[in-house]
Amino acid sequence: MGNLIKVLTRDIDNNAGNFFLDFENAQPTEAERAVWEQVNEVLMEALAILDDLQSYNGAGEEIRQAIQNPSEDQVQERAWAAVVPLVGKLKKFYEFSLRLEGSLHGLLKALTSARCSPTQHLEQEQALARQFAEILHFTLRFDELKMTNPAIQNDFSYYRRTLNRMRINNVAAEEENEVNNELANRMSLFYANATPMLKTLSDATTKFVSDNTDLPIENTTDCLCTMASVCKVMLETPEYRSRFASEDTVSFCLRVMVGVIILYDYVHPAGAFVKSSKIEMKGCIKVLKDQPQSSVEGLLNALRYTTKHLNDETTSKQIKNMLQVN
């Protein structure tokens, strides 16, 4: 049957999404290989980034001691020594977001070019579609971990306060540290967002559309809505869902579906929730709500709080009610 299994039992909007994307096994063709290899290098690093973030414990105790004992130099030095390497990790995460943005642009350029329709791109270039899905999966996973770890903001705030104090007191700190004041300002904007990686991807997708004025916006939005439809069909159809070799592919598909919905909502002028949207939102939300609540609450919250158009007047009451917190 190969990597592509036709889904003949579903009538998908505009005939998009009526195929199976092999997220587990798709391998690059020769035509895909150049882009695939560039993106693969970044995705290999993504696994290490998630491991580092998952094990990020913070310097909470050292910072508390430093705040409570402002005149004890040894306590201050201990807190600074604990925070500096952690901020080095935060710098690595931030710099990775910039590389991820570059990879996304490369994939979008390949998957939305005018040589064939977005649906044909996803069908014929499944290895690139898989990488696009892996970027979305990484993005939502990164943001889930970041949102549940207040130590990140606390550590970085303490670092910035201490760095500013050193500058005021003419203490030579910036030359010795990985993160100078200018970079700290940029990182501060990044981490101030509740979902920093998702914002990076949303901004990057919007920028891709605005930079490529010769490319119809529909090429990008149709790519996104087709990906959402494919994920929905695979998740709601038992005979295809059962083809997943790993149960982890279910959560992978759920994250990818939510990720492309959010990107679509930012890129499309009318958003994902309007009645004329090519994404079948009610069906996508139902697929999410059919899963164990504990496994999808973060994804439902992503739709509730990180989309652009959910609260518009053009969004139906039914969709708003489906996404209300119980």
Side-chain angles (χ1 to χ4, degrees):
M1 237 175 237
N3 287 342
L4 192 61
I5 302 167
K6 289 289 181 181
V7 180
L8 301 174
T9 57
R10 287 290 183 270
D11 179 22
I12 306 302
D13 294 342
N14 302 319
N15 204 38
N18 61 343
F19 59 90
F20 184 97
L21 269 175
D22 193 346
F23 285 140
E24 293 179 329
N25 302 305
Q27 296 298 316
T29 62
E30 280 309 306
E32 296 171 275
R33 190 165 298 280
V35 174
W36 184 90
E37 286 179 350
Q38 289 176 357
V39 177
N40 189 56
E41 194 177 312
V42 176
L43 285 171
M44 293 293 285
E45 191 180 340
L47 297 172
I49 293 286
L50 287 180
D51 285 344
D52 275 356
L53 181 56
Q54 199 150 14
S55 62
Y56 188 101
N57 293 321
E61 181 57 32
E62 290 88 345
I63 291 171
R64 272 191 297 275
Q65 291 295 329
I67 291 170
Q68 289 170 7
N69 302 280
S71 58
E72 292 190 26
D73 290 345
Q74 193 174 1
V75 176
Q76 302 301 314
E77 288 167 9
R78 194 180 303 128
W80 184 246
V83 165
V84 167
L86 292 172
V87 170
K89 281 189 176 184
L90 298 182
K91 177 194 175 191
K92 184 170 75 170
F93 300 161
Y94 168 71
E95 289 177 340
F96 181 76
S97 76
L98 304 179
R99 294 185 64 202
L100 200 67
E101 183 178 343
S103 294
L104 181 68
H105 277 204
L107 285 172
L108 286 174
K109 192 170 183 179
L111 292 171
T112 63
S113 69
R115 67 174 182 81
C116 63
S117 74
T119 299
Q120 288 170 324
H121 272 299
L122 292 177
E123 283 187 292
Q124 296 166 12
E125 298 163 281
Q126 293 219 357
L128 298 186
R130 178 185 179 185
Q131 287 185 318
F132 183 33
E134 286 170 342
I135 285 176
L136 290 163
H137 179 265
F138 162 81
T139 295
L140 269 70
R141 183 65 185 134
F142 181 97
D143 287 346
E144 284 171 6
L145 291 169
K146 185 263 180 185
M147 279 193 288
T148 55
N149 194 340
I152 289 172
Q153 287 284 75
N154 294 340
D155 291 350
F156 196 64
S157 294
Y158 177 81
Y159 178 87
R160 294 201 73 201
R161 288 197 307 272
T162 306
L163 194 62
N164 287 335
R165 192 163 62 245
M166 287 177 166
R167 290 173 68 229
I168 290 168
N169 295 332
N170 291 319
V171 176
E174 292 194 26
E175 292 78 14
E176 300 170 18
N177 296 308
E178 291 187 87
V179 180
N180 62 28
N181 202 52
E182 183 187 348
L183 178 56
N185 287 336
R186 295 201 301 272
M187 287 173 59
S188 183
L189 290 173
F190 177 76
Y191 286 110
N193 197 284
T195 53
M197 285 291 177
L198 194 54
K199 185 175 188 331
T200 296
L201 252 59
S202 298
D203 289 350
T205 307
T206 304
K207 187 175 187 297
F208 173 81
V209 170
S210 61
D211 286 351
N212 293 274
T213 51
D214 58 325
L215 198 67
I217 187 174
E218 289 79 16
N219 285 32
T220 302
T221 55
D222 285 358
C223 173
L224 298 175
C225 75
T226 301
M227 184 81 89
S229 295
V230 166
C231 291
K232 181 176 81 73
V233 168
M234 291 196 293
L235 288 162
E236 70 187 0
T237 310
E239 58 266 39
Y240 297 108
R241 184 164 167 163
S242 67
R243 293 181 186 271
F244 297 153
S246 168
E247 190 61 26
D248 289 344
T249 308
V250 173
S251 62
F252 180 92
C253 279
L254 290 165
R255 280 202 183 94
V256 172
M257 182 179 74
V258 169
V260 288
I261 288 170
I262 295 169
L263 289 187
Y264 183 99
D265 195 49
Y266 272 87
V267 175
H268 196 284
F273 300 97
V274 70
K275 190 175 181 181
S276 60
S277 169
K278 290 184 179 179
I279 295 179
E280 209 265 281
M281 281 305 308
K282 291 173 189 172
C284 291
I285 296 168
K286 183 180 183 302
V287 165
L288 281 167
K289 299 194 97 171
D290 284 345
Q291 315 305 315
Q293 185 176 351
S294 60
S295 68
V296 294
E297 194 59 29
L299 297 177
L300 287 167
N301 283 339
L303 290 179
R304 288 171 184 137
Y305 306 124
T306 66
T307 47
K308 186 177 180 181
H309 293 281
L310 175 62
N311 294 317
D312 289 2
E313 291 181 5
T314 51
T315 302
S316 73
K317 286 184 179 177
Q318 187 178 359
I319 287 177
K320 288 181 179 177
N321 288 337
M322 289 178 80
L323 285 173
Q324 274 190 338
V325 179
N326 296 328

